Amino acid sequence: MSFNVTVIKDKILSDNYFVLRNITYDLTRKNGEVIRHKREVYDRGNGATILLYNPEKKSVVMIRQFRVATWVNGNKDGRLIETCAGLLDDDEPEACVRKEAIEETGYQVGEVRKLFELYMSPGGVTEIVHFFIARYDDSSRASTGGGVEDEDIEVLELPFTTALAMVKSGEIRDGKSVILLQYLQASGLMD
């Protein structure tokens, strides 16, 4: 059964880098009762992320970059270790991860495998993230990576066991990255 939603107000609060909206709506519950909600919704577009892995070397490629939101929320230097990712803009998810992989990590990926797509913060953010994995090897390194003009990205090739330990210690605490690392561990692809 779907809920009956009646929009009362939908006001754009900011249309700067992304869109922030204030929405008031009535939600009719299953029992017929109507409740009013006032929420702010942040629309930043949809994204895609990819974890590069090498089962022979037992390694993964990740990146480290400054993330202002983490800095505002107590991450002292604002840098975060994560899987490479980007907004779709007008690209399909697979095209996006291929582009981001070469720009951010310097690796040209071959076959990619889409795992799933998830809402990462559905209480207030519209974004759906598409999750991928792909094998890499030394011959697929096409450049040094590091991102595009307004990015300062450090490329990290980590032993897989080290990356998992970094999740446990809190050194890696980006949600999409933890999900992909745990998927890779559970998949048996690194055995």
Side-chain angles (χ1 to χ4, degrees):
M1 173 181 173
S2 63
F3 285 98
N4 182 8
V5 179
T6 305
V7 175
I8 306 302
K9 178 181 82 173
D10 185 351
K11 179 181 177 185
I12 294 179
L13 300 177
S14 175
D15 190 0
N16 188 11
Y17 194 61
F18 301 119
V19 178
L20 178 62
R21 301 160 72 155
N22 181 282
I23 301 175
T24 302
Y25 58 94
D26 287 342
L27 180 69
T28 304
R29 292 181 173 180
K30 290 184 280 189
N31 66 4
E33 178 187 4
V34 176
I35 53 174
R36 180 157 291 176
H37 288 173
K38 296 177 184 180
R39 300 289 188 266
E40 289 182 354
V41 176
Y42 195 54
D43 185 351
R44 58 181 315 271
N46 294 324
T49 185
I50 188 166
L51 177 61
L52 305 180
Y53 71 99
N54 183 317
E56 289 77 31
K57 290 172 68 174
K58 305 285 190 229
S59 60
V60 293
V61 173
M62 302 189 75
I63 61 169
R64 183 184 350 240
Q65 66 180 317
F66 180 78
R67 295 298 200 178
V68 69
T70 73
W71 177 75
V72 167
N73 197 21
N75 184 8
K76 288 190 187 338
D77 73 355
R79 296 183 332 141
L80 199 64
I81 297 172
E82 56 189 291
T83 52
C84 90
L87 293 175
L88 298 184
D89 298 321
D90 293 325
D91 292 332
E92 291 297 316
E94 183 177 323
C96 175
V97 293
R98 289 180 181 284
K99 178 179 74 175
E100 293 295 333
I102 192 74
E103 288 176 358
E104 294 185 0
T105 70
Y107 286 93
Q108 185 81 40
V109 296
E111 182 181 339
V112 299
R113 185 162 127 204
K114 183 170 182 181
L115 305 175
F116 35 73
E117 50 192 70
L118 303 172
Y119 288 99
M120 296 301 290
S121 190
V125 180
T126 61
E127 181 183 36
I128 294 172
V129 177
H130 301 261
F131 288 75
F132 293 83
I133 57 172
R135 291 177 68 135
Y136 79 95
D137 59 38
D138 293 337
S139 69
S140 57
R141 188 82 187 252
S143 72
T144 58
V148 293
E149 60 277 347
D150 68 341
E151 297 176 316
D152 183 15
I153 293 174
E154 178 185 357
V155 180
L156 306 171
E157 184 176 28
L158 301 169
F160 183 54
T161 55
T162 299
L164 292 174
M166 292 170 80
V167 170
K168 188 174 183 179
S169 73
E171 290 174 84
I172 294 176
R173 49 189 185 154
D174 168 61
K176 66 187 180 308
S177 303
V178 172
I179 290 168
L180 282 170
L181 288 166
Q182 289 180 340
Y183 173 87
L184 191 58
Q185 182 182 31
S187 73
L189 292 169
M190 296 297 272
D191 295 340

